[in-house]
């Protein structure tokens, strides 16, 4: 808000963000979250933090910086304020076609023994939940718990604000247009009364999805075991190359040897110039598997 507008509203003015202050926030955010805010993101930082400075009665970004440096809860609020959380159900639909057309038949063919009917997928930057609930819908459509299948979708994000919304599993009804009719009818509830105009995740998909906070930059991740697929889409794009490499290495430690890594379509590994210690090959746009490409094996 420009200061003259703030004056007119009787609010105390906030000093304009200086280059030095911006550089300090850039460094802190890069270290904490991995996101590098380039100079063009300066208005975004000001826009998203100004309201909070006002709530705290602070007159400068330096004063706010002093607070976030020492206060983990406030740092989390800042992360919530600056993270970009855009997401959709069935985003990048070809990925879900690949799951149902290639990954699922292979899993069904492999997991035939007693006690083997278990599938685990991790949505590692899940935002408000559309991605993990989409995964739950396609999984349950193809692997019925009544046939002995155990389905687990883990979903994490750094932002506690989006995780709370994901757990609520409540969206404007307009979002229903993103979901194919058959899935919508089976898995979503249409709000009535107080929930008029809203759509809610139904119990079948809620049962298989669990949400937890996880920073992709953390030394160790809050997950155990390996996954048949890891979705880490539309988040690496905010990281610099060394951070991307570190994150992918850590995700791969949680990928089943036969598992698949799904990235966002703008996040091809080609741009990383082969800096990974483990070999990966591409099986479809932005989908990767461990090991050399089949054409390069057994030479
Ligand atoms: C644009 S959304 C992508 C959501 C979903 N994966 C999709 O493709 O629709 C990016 C998400 O990454 C999360 N994020 C950003 N930095 C992160 C980090 N260091 N660790 C975990 N999540 C992070 C943000 O909070 C945000 O919810």
């Amino acid at each position: 808000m420009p200061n003259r507008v703030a004056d007119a509203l009787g609010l105390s003015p906030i000093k304009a963000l200086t280059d030095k202050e911006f550089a300090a926030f850039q460094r802190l955010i890069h270290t904490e979250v991995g996101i590098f805010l380039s100079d063009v993101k300066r208005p975004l930082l000001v826009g998203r933090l100004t309201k909070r400075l006002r709530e705290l009665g602070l007159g400068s970004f330096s004063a706010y910086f002093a607070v976030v440096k020492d206060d983990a809860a406030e740092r989390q609020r800042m992360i919530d304020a600056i993270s970009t959380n855009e997401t959709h159900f069935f985003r990048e639909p070809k990925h879900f076609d690949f799951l149902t057309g290639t990954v699922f038949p292979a899993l069904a063919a492999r997991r035939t023994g007693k006690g083997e009917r278990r599938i685990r997928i991790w949505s590692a930057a899940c935002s408000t939940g559309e991605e993990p609930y989409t995964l739950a819908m396609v999984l349950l459509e193809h692997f019925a718990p009544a046939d002995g299948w155990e389905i687990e979708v883990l979903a994490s994000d750094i932002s506690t604000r989006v995780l709370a919304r994901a757990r609520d599993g409540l969206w404007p009804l307009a979002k229903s247009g993103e979901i194919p009719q058959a899935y919508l009818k089976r898995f979503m509830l249409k709000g009535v009364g107080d929930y008029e105009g809203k759509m809610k995740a139904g119990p079948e998909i809620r049962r298989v999805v669990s949400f937890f906070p996880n920073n992709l930059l953390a030394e160790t991740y809050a997950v155990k075991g390996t996954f048949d697929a890891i979705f880490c889409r539309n988040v690496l794009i905010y990281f610099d190359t060394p951070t991307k490499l570190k994150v992918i290495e850590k995700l791969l430690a949680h990928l089943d040897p036969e598992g698949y890594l799904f990235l966002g379509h703008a996040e091809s590994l080609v741009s990383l110039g082969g800096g990974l210690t483990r070999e990966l090959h591409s099986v479809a746009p932005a989908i990767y598997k461990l090991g050399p490409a089949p054409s390069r094996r057994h030479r």
Side-chain angles (χ1 to χ4, degrees):
M1 185 188 301
N3 280 340
R4 66 197 144 70
V5 180
D7 286 346
L9 293 172
L11 300 168
S12 51
I14 291 172
K15 285 193 200 129
L17 178 76
T18 66
D19 292 348
K20 207 171 147 200
E21 286 169 334
F22 182 56
F25 277 103
Q26 261 180 330
R27 272 194 303 277
L28 178 70
I29 290 165
H30 185 247
T31 314
E32 286 280 323
V33 194
I35 297 175
F36 181 72
L37 293 180
S38 61
D39 287 350
V40 294
K41 294 283 166 64
R42 203 171 159 140
L44 178 137
L45 184 80
V46 173
R48 299 211 179 158
L49 296 187
T50 298
K51 185 166 168 256
R52 186 63 186 147
L53 264 71
R54 270 194 208 298
E55 282 166 1
L56 295 173
L58 299 171
S60 72
F61 285 89
S62 306
Y64 185 60
F65 188 81
V67 176
V68 288
K69 241 178 90 213
D70 294 335
D71 180 343
E74 191 56 42
R75 226 163 28 245
Q76 180 64 53
R77 273 192 96 119
M78 178 190 73
I79 291 167
D80 284 348
I82 55 133
S83 57
T84 299
N85 309 115
E86 192 200 327
T87 186
H88 316 284
F89 291 100
F90 290 88
R91 186 178 197 178
E92 300 176 6
K94 286 208 160 67
H95 279 174
F96 299 98
D97 295 343
F98 187 85
L99 267 184
T100 55
T102 303
V103 181
F104 289 178
L107 280 168
R110 241 181 18 250
R111 308 261 162 96
T112 51
K114 203 168 178 287
E116 283 184 351
R117 296 193 141 196
R118 187 160 187 244
I119 301 179
R120 300 183 85 210
I121 299 188
W122 180 17
S123 165
C126 69
S127 188
T128 40
E130 285 85 332
E131 183 176 272
Y133 286 119
T134 301
L135 289 165
M137 288 190 263
V138 290
L139 278 163
L140 288 168
E141 184 70 18
H142 290 81
F143 300 99
D147 294 337
W149 286 99
E150 206 183 302
I151 302 303
E152 194 181 7
V153 179
L154 294 196
S156 59
D157 200 283
I158 196 173
S159 163
T160 48
R161 179 179 53 87
V162 293
L163 284 173
R165 285 180 52 196
R167 283 192 191 99
D168 282 350
L170 202 61
W171 302 271
L173 200 54
K175 278 223 148 212
S176 62
E178 298 170 6
I179 305 174
Q181 272 300 321
Y183 287 111
L184 192 62
K185 266 181 95 168
R186 175 168 170 193
F187 296 109
M188 291 289 176
L189 304 171
K190 192 173 170 187
V192 289
D194 287 352
Y195 293 101
E196 188 77 46
K198 299 251 196 298
M199 168 180 78
K200 193 171 176 169
E204 216 183 337
I205 48 176
R206 277 178 188 277
R207 219 171 282 131
V208 298
V209 185
S210 17
F211 295 97
F212 60 100
N214 186 63
N215 182 352
L216 289 166
L217 258 62
E219 270 320 305
T220 50
Y221 291 162
V223 289
K224 288 207 172 75
T226 56
F227 294 86
D228 300 302
I230 298 178
F231 277 61
C232 185
R233 305 189 307 163
N234 305 302
V235 61
L236 294 178
I237 198 163
Y238 302 111
F239 300 162
D240 58 21
T241 299
T243 310
K244 281 181 193 165
L245 288 169
K246 238 169 97 178
V247 169
I248 292 168
E249 293 276 1
K250 277 199 278 193
L251 290 174
L252 293 180
H254 292 281
L255 191 64
D256 181 90
E258 290 297 325
Y260 294 83
L261 175 67
F262 289 73
L263 304 180
H265 277 116
E267 298 168 326
S268 145
L269 290 184
V270 178
S271 61
L272 299 181
L276 292 167
T277 57
R278 300 178 71 180
E279 194 162 9
L280 279 178
H281 65 276
S282 163
V283 291
I287 307 176
Y288 298 87
K289 239 186 139 189
L290 284 164
S295 58
R296 290 185 38 232
R297 287 181 199 152
H298 313 302
R299 276 192 183 163

